[in-house]
Amino acid sequence: MTGRAHRDGASEWLRLDRQVCFPLYAATNLMQRLYRPLLAPLGLTYSQYLVLLVLWERGRTHVGELRDCLYLDAGTITPLLKRMEQGGLVTRRRDSKDERRVIIALTPHGTALREQAWRIPEALAARIGFDAAEGAQLHDVTTSLVERLQVLVKQ
Amino acid sequence: MTGRAHRDGASEWLRLDRQVCFPLYAATNLMQRLYRPLLAPLGLTYSQYLVLLVLWERGRTHVGELRDCLYLDAGTITPLLKRMEQGGLVTRRRDSKDERRVIIALTPHGTALREQAWRIPEALAARIGFDAAEGAQLHDVTTSLVERLQVLVKQ
DNA sequence: AGCGATATAGTTGCATGCGATATAATCAAG
DNA sequence: CTTGATTATATCGCATGCAACTATATCGCT
């Protein structure tokens, strides 16, 4: 492979508008910027909101389950849950059946937020103005990408 | 609207597997986890790599142009560029034509990294194993989302 | 020239997000 | 029963990412 071939390869592969991952990255940043003013009145960040989505469905879980559900690292989820405990959203206590585990459960305040939160995704969908087909396509493409990436990250 | 209707609405809108933004968020995190071990040998983070993509195309720019290209905030891009200057990747100097601006240019080291970087997107595409159609669909869907979100974030 | 408005970067404070490492509890093989 | 391996969280250091605010330079209007 010649130096010239390297440069030609670079021209193709290194163009910003050819990157698949960059619009994903940009969309995620912009999306969180749209969520922020909607979640701030509830005292929530986007990742805290995701934790609550899981808890509102399951009632209670443990740290590892949240980590797996949200595709996060242990070093991310533990401080996140401690901040949510400080904020009165969840409780953390060791599982008496297995003292390695920590059970995460909703406080009354965390439970009550559900009644205010359910309007947020609706409001956002309306604001973005997706029609059903576009929204479904985006959902399906990104969900299948997550499934594929998850396997690769685990090796 | 009754309390019962609220809860029914919540059941639909607040399910994690119905969220459009969550798989976007998860895919971005996983994707950066895949990039990290490829970029670490070059001493780069993902956002630093994106800055270099722009500079390899344009040669030199100023801070605001990078901020706009990458859809980042001023509070993100300035410290990022200072770290890249510390790392010997770029230079920062005031524009003599307009002292408000700061010109960002590549150092020889930053320029030379292009010869090692061009294999990264290729390697990643191969690793993820997208066929051309899937990759194109993902690119198009997320790119059009970015365009739409960009308008909303600017108000 | 003078001055208020605008544009461009920088600064501060806070919340992620992750790799590497540490700690404690449970499991498993003998 | 004991001891090494495994599992479940926690901790630490570093790099983002953003809102709010600040400082400086340029522009526009008179």
Side-chain angles (χ1 to χ4, degrees):
Chain A
M1 189 95 55
T2 68
R4 176 164 164 69
H6 278 81
R7 281 192 296 282
D8 290 340
S11 300
E12 287 305 307
W13 285 101
L14 294 178
R15 279 171 46 188
L16 188 63
D17 63 357
R18 292 276 302 255
Q19 303 297 309
V20 172
C21 297
F22 170 59
L24 205 68
Y25 161 89
T28 299
N29 285 340
L30 291 170
M31 205 259 311
Q32 289 205 43
R33 246 178 280 176
L34 277 185
Y35 261 104
R36 201 178 306 267
L38 298 177
L39 291 170
L42 310 192
L44 297 175
T45 64
Y46 185 66
S47 50
Q48 291 173 4
Y49 168 71
L50 292 178
V51 169
L52 290 183
L53 288 184
V54 175
L55 287 171
W56 288 330
E57 278 184 45
R58 306 195 181 192
R60 63 220 278 292
T61 44
H62 56 95
V63 174
E65 196 160 79
L66 283 167
R67 184 200 59 208
D68 293 343
C69 284
L70 303 181
Y71 306 97
L72 291 173
D73 187 87
T76 299
I77 197 76
T78 294
L80 174 60
L81 291 170
K82 290 178 81 167
R83 280 186 294 269
M84 293 182 74
E85 184 187 37
Q86 288 307 103
L89 296 165
V90 303
T91 58
R92 297 162 66 238
R93 62 179 174 73
R94 289 281 164 186
D95 185 346
S96 56
K97 306 259 180 57
D98 182 343
E99 291 283 341
R100 291 173 304 183
R101 293 191 168 185
V102 171
I103 303 286
I104 307 298
L106 287 165
T107 61
H109 178 223
T111 304
L113 275 184
R114 190 174 194 258
E115 295 302 315
Q116 301 173 57
W118 76 282
R119 294 175 180 281
I120 290 179
E122 193 182 22
L124 217 82
R127 179 123 190 256
I128 297 178
F130 272 134
D131 60 50
E134 276 176 310
Q137 190 190 19
L138 179 61
H139 181 276
D140 294 348
V141 171
T142 54
T143 299
S144 85
L145 177 62
V146 167
E147 284 166 11
R148 201 178 305 214
L149 291 176
Q150 186 192 9
V151 176
L152 296 176
V153 166
K154 288 192 298 191
Q155 296 341 317
Chain B
M1 189 96 56
T2 68
R4 177 165 163 66
H6 278 83
R7 280 192 297 279
D8 289 342
S11 300
E12 287 305 307
W13 286 101
L14 294 179
R15 279 172 46 190
L16 188 63
D17 62 357
R18 293 277 301 256
Q19 303 297 309
V20 171
C21 297
F22 169 60
L24 206 68
Y25 162 90
T28 300
N29 285 339
L30 291 170
M31 205 260 309
Q32 290 206 42
R33 244 178 282 176
L34 278 185
Y35 262 103
R36 200 178 308 267
L38 298 177
L39 291 171
L42 311 192
L44 297 176
T45 64
Y46 185 67
S47 50
Q48 291 173 5
Y49 169 71
L50 292 178
V51 169
L52 290 184
L53 288 186
V54 175
L55 287 171
W56 288 330
E57 279 184 44
R58 306 195 182 193
R60 63 220 280 289
T61 44
H62 55 95
V63 174
E65 196 161 79
L66 283 167
R67 184 199 59 208
D68 293 343
C69 284
L70 303 181
Y71 306 97
L72 292 173
D73 187 88
T76 299
I77 197 76
T78 293
L80 174 61
L81 292 171
K82 290 178 81 167
R83 280 185 294 267
M84 293 181 74
E85 185 187 36
Q86 287 308 102
L89 296 164
V90 302
T91 58
R92 297 160 65 236
R93 62 180 175 74
R94 289 280 164 185
D95 185 345
S96 57
K97 304 258 182 57
D98 182 344
E99 291 283 342
R100 291 172 303 183
R101 293 191 170 185
V102 170
I103 304 287
I104 307 298
L106 287 165
T107 62
H109 177 223
T111 303
L113 275 183
R114 190 173 193 258
E115 295 302 314
Q116 301 174 58
W118 77 281
R119 293 176 180 280
I120 290 179
E122 193 180 23
L124 217 80
R127 179 122 190 256
I128 297 178
F130 272 134
D131 59 51
E134 276 176 310
Q137 189 190 19
L138 179 60
H139 181 276
D140 294 349
V141 172
T142 53
T143 299
S144 83
L145 177 61
V146 167
E147 284 167 11
R148 202 178 304 214
L149 291 177
Q150 188 192 8
V151 175
L152 296 176
V153 165
K154 289 191 298 189
Q155 300 335 323

